[in-house]
Amino acid sequence: DQPSKDNSNQSNVNDAESLKVSEAVKDITGDLGQINGVGIGSGGGKNDLLHELKGEVDSKMNSLMECVNKLNESTIANTKNQKLEWAIVNVGLSRCFTYYEKGSKGRNSQELVKNVLFIFRKGVRVDISNYSMYEYLKDGKGEDFKWTHDGGKPIEDGEREFRRRLSEQMYQLTGVKPRVVCDGGKYAICYS
């Protein structure tokens, strides 16, 4: 991952769109000056010229709006990337927690959060099923077992609490509350 290259490309897009907006404004200003110079009269030629100039101004206004929209989209994407890059670098500043994955011991959330942030930069959601605030234990032997939590706590409670804590940590870092979605019993976290 190369944040500086991404920022450079984003900056070039912003510069190009800003230049297009500036040129379009100059063109439209010139056209409006021509329209004012024609004046209002009874001659049919003037009305034809005004109609033609109005069509040119409308076309340039549409072009200008496209450039402004692209500039806005670029700015939004740049802001998102800046937030995510800051969060990746400063993940250690947030309040981490211990979580559990099926079949493993407790882990610190810092590395998971960093990985999720990297994936968010690509615009992809992250599967967070099978993570809990409580250790998963096997109840039974061989192939005939089910996952439980220490002390008989419901699995759903630990998984729900994990999703809440992960969302909170992501919010602390980015200032954006991520969305948690459920699809077919599987949970995923998305950058809003």
Side-chain angles (χ1 to χ4, degrees), residues 16-32 56-68:
E17 292 303 320
S18 294
L19 183 60
K20 286 180 184 177
V21 168
S22 178
E23 289 171 359
V25 169
K26 285 179 190 175
D27 281 349
I28 291 169
T29 303
D31 289 345
L32 291 174
E56 287 179 26
V57 169
D58 286 347
S59 174
K60 289 178 183 177
M61 283 298 290
N62 289 337
S63 197
L64 175 63
M65 289 309 297
E66 285 180 29
C67 290
V68 168

Side-chain angles (χ1 to χ4, degrees), residues 72-92:
N72 285 340
E73 290 170 7
S74 176
T75 300
I76 289 168
N78 194 26
T79 300
K80 173 189 170 187
N81 283 333
Q82 286 176 344
K83 284 181 179 187
L84 291 173
E85 288 172 17
W86 185 91
I88 289 166
V89 170
N90 294 289
V91 71

Side-chain angles (χ1 to χ4, degrees), residues 97-103 112 127-137 146-149 153-167 180 182 185-189:
F97 59 91
T98 301
Y99 72 96
Y100 297 87
E101 186 174 4
K102 286 184 180 174
L112 174 66
D127 181 13
I128 55 171
S129 301
N130 301 321
Y131 294 105
S132 177
M133 293 301 296
Y134 312 124
E135 185 174 6
Y136 288 96
L137 301 172
K146 65 178 185 172
W147 291 105
T148 64
H149 284 315
K153 298 173 187 154
I155 287 181
E156 296 79 22
D157 291 353
E159 291 174 347
R160 184 179 318 108
E161 180 63 11
F162 167 79
R163 293 188 298 269
R164 187 193 69 75
R165 295 281 298 270
L166 180 63
S167 292
V180 175
C182 181
K186 296 267 189 186
Y187 286 89
I189 191 165

Side-chain angles (χ1 to χ4, degrees), residues 34-35 37-54:
Q34 283 183 337
I35 290 171
V38 169
I40 299 175
S42 59
K46 286 184 179 181
N47 287 338
D48 290 343
L49 181 58
L50 285 174
H51 185 68
E52 182 181 324
L53 288 173
K54 182 188 178 309

